[in-house]
Amino acid sequence: MITDLKEIENSALSLNKKDKARLADKLLQSIHGKIDPEIEQAWIDEVQKRKESLKSGEASLHSASDVINEARKRLQK
């Protein structure tokens, strides 16, 4: 069994993206506990809603630096 943290890190980093995501989820659950299924579903629904609004053109993406610059301009007024 692997017990050295560096070995565990190296093994984890060599995983494919899907397995890394599964491992990350398991580790986070071990710290924070199981996610409430209703809350998880609410987030999934929100992500789908935002995805659809981007596809339809109702919403658009902006870079973080543009948003921060715009906020600074508005705060200076």
Side-chain angles (χ1 to χ4, degrees):
M1 184 166 134
I2 301 173
T3 56
D4 179 59
L5 180 59
K6 198 65 180 163
E7 286 181 63
I8 295 169
E9 287 176 357
N10 289 336
S11 294
L13 291 172
S14 70
L15 297 171
N16 62 48
K17 286 183 181 183
K18 183 178 177 181
D19 288 339
K20 283 180 185 176
R22 287 180 57 215
L23 176 59
D25 185 48
K26 292 244 183 220
L27 290 171
L28 289 171
Q29 282 183 28
S30 75
I31 295 169
H32 301 293
K34 195 85 168 144
I35 296 171
D36 181 327
E38 289 181 23
I39 294 172
E40 185 173 29
Q41 188 58 52
W43 274 113
I44 291 169
D45 294 344
E46 181 64 23
V47 168
Q48 290 299 329
K49 182 177 133 189
R50 291 181 187 199
K51 184 178 168 185
E52 290 303 317
S53 74
L54 284 169
K55 279 184 177 180
S56 72
E58 180 184 340
S60 59
L61 298 176
H62 303 276
S63 71
S65 60
D66 287 347
V67 172
I68 291 168
N69 288 335
E70 180 62 27
R72 284 184 177 142
K73 283 182 198 175
R74 290 182 184 199
L75 288 171
Q76 290 176 352
K77 290 182 180 180

